[in-house]
Amino acid sequence: MSYIKIAKEKFDNLRRKKDVVILSIESSCDETAIAIVKNGREVLANKVSSQIEIHRRFGGVVPEVASRNHITAISNLYLEALEEAHMKAEDLDAIAVTYGAGLMGALLVGVNFAKGLAYSLQLPLIAVSHIHGHISANYISHKELNPPFICLMVSGGHTAILKISDYNKQKLLGTTVDDAVGECFDKVARVLGLPYPGGPEIDKLAKEGENNIKFIVSNSLHKSLNFSFSGIKTSVINYIHNKDQKKEEYSKADVARSFEECVTDELCDKVIKAALLSGLKKIVIAGGVGANSMLRAKLDERCKKEGIEIYYPVLKYCTDNAAMIGSAAYYYAKDKKGFAELDLTAKPNVDL
Ligand code: KG4
Ligand code: ZN
């Protein structure tokens, strides 16, 4: 029998199998990651090799450098993941991989490694959207969590509010019309002279500052659930450049605090509005900016007031990892979704 026939048969069987063990691969940006996840919820191994230190000296991710480092790291991570799970390759039921969104060269490393593994082990290959992965990070963090819910997706590449009615059924309620919020954190941090990645640095510095500079997000979208962050990004940059040109002193901590207050208010207002409008009193946060401590504190307080349940991934699953991809792949397979052939390629952009 041909590989494709064997793989398709095994893929279809995953729906009926009691225990499904998936080895998942993530390489969309600057983290090479491999995990082994059982039944979408139980993480048996979670290996992440971060390139942050390498990219820090360039002030951001250099795509070519990221691809090369994924190549160097990926084979060892595979062996380490099996070791951590006390498993052999024969114990695996499927191989899952992020096919997009992300950096083309970086994604291709994971996709091609996954294809090689799937073919050599004669296992089905499941192509997973990075965005669905971020949402699924919550399923491994909260065993009792099930759809439906409202999701606030806040990462370096995406900012959106989604209505998740079932594991693979979602509707976009709002999105950014320009920059993603994580991109905005990173840019502001860079202008403040903070190291890459900027989000966690702003988070730390803001704690020492006062909210005393009036930054505002564009209110042209205030009636919709869409976001716009390029205006506030530009006003923060202009504020800093102005001060520098005039050689005036200013507090970086106050800038960080005032910026973060403004952006987190906007995210909170809109996701709570979405929950109240939809009647779904359950909010789930996804993506790297979901690690932000001010965003979490504000959401906790406001959700409590409104009687809304709120869920965040545990911190290690908030930023890029492969366990979240393994969880998403499990729910894809249960719905017969995501089966990929060996011509699978990477996609820099995928629909929300
Ligand atoms: O989800 P993620 O790891 O990668 C993408 O899919 O983009 O998100 C990365 C983004 C970066 O912009 C990073 O600065 C931001 O998440 N981030 C944070 C925090 N931790 C990571 N932003 C604000 N506060 C944080 N604590
Ligand atoms: Zn991500």
Side-chain angles (χ1 to χ4, degrees), residues 110-120 125 341-345:
V111 165
N112 284 311
F113 190 80
K115 285 199 248 182
L117 265 186
Y119 184 72
S120 63
L125 177 63
E341 301 203 9
L342 294 175
D343 60 355
L344 174 70
T345 189

Side-chain angles (χ1 to χ4, degrees), residues 152-155 158-160 175-185 187-188 216-218 221 225-237 259-260 262-268 270 289:
L152 175 67
M153 160 67 60
V154 276
S155 70
H158 297 92
T159 304
T175 185
T176 177
V177 298
D178 40 53
D179 298 342
V181 65
E183 195 183 335
C184 198
F185 265 93
K187 181 71 192 183
V188 166
I216 43 168
V217 288
S218 152
L221 299 168
L225 292 173
N226 287 333
F227 299 99
S228 167
F229 293 113
S230 75
I232 182 168
K233 182 184 78 180
T234 310
S235 36
V236 177
I237 293 170
F259 160 76
E260 198 182 62
C262 183
V263 165
T264 51
D265 274 346
E266 174 72 356
L267 293 170
C268 272
K270 293 220 160 141
V289 183

Side-chain angles (χ1 to χ4, degrees), residues 226-301:
N226 287 333
F227 299 99
S228 167
F229 293 113
S230 75
I232 182 168
K233 182 184 78 180
T234 310
S235 36
V236 177
I237 293 170
N238 287 346
Y239 176 90
I240 296 166
H241 284 168
N242 242 314
K243 292 285 180 191
D244 285 346
Q245 269 168 4
K246 291 184 187 155
K247 299 205 169 17
E248 283 176 13
E249 294 272 307
Y250 68 94
S251 155
K252 288 187 180 186
D254 290 354
V255 173
R257 175 67 185 264
S258 306
F259 160 76
E260 198 182 62
E261 288 278 3
C262 183
V263 165
T264 51
D265 274 346
E266 174 72 356
L267 293 170
C268 272
D269 287 350
K270 293 220 160 141
V271 72
I272 285 174
K273 186 172 163 187
L276 297 177
L277 282 174
S278 71
L280 275 175
K281 291 196 139 193
K282 200 195 283 187
I283 293 177
V284 167
I285 308 299
V289 183
N292 185 266
S293 58
M294 189 186 287
L295 179 65
R296 287 184 175 220
K298 282 185 183 172
L299 281 168
D300 281 347
E301 195 191 317

Side-chain angles (χ1 to χ4, degrees), residues 28 130 134 155 320 324:
S28 65
H130 186 76
H134 272 303
S155 70
D320 291 348
M324 66 185 196

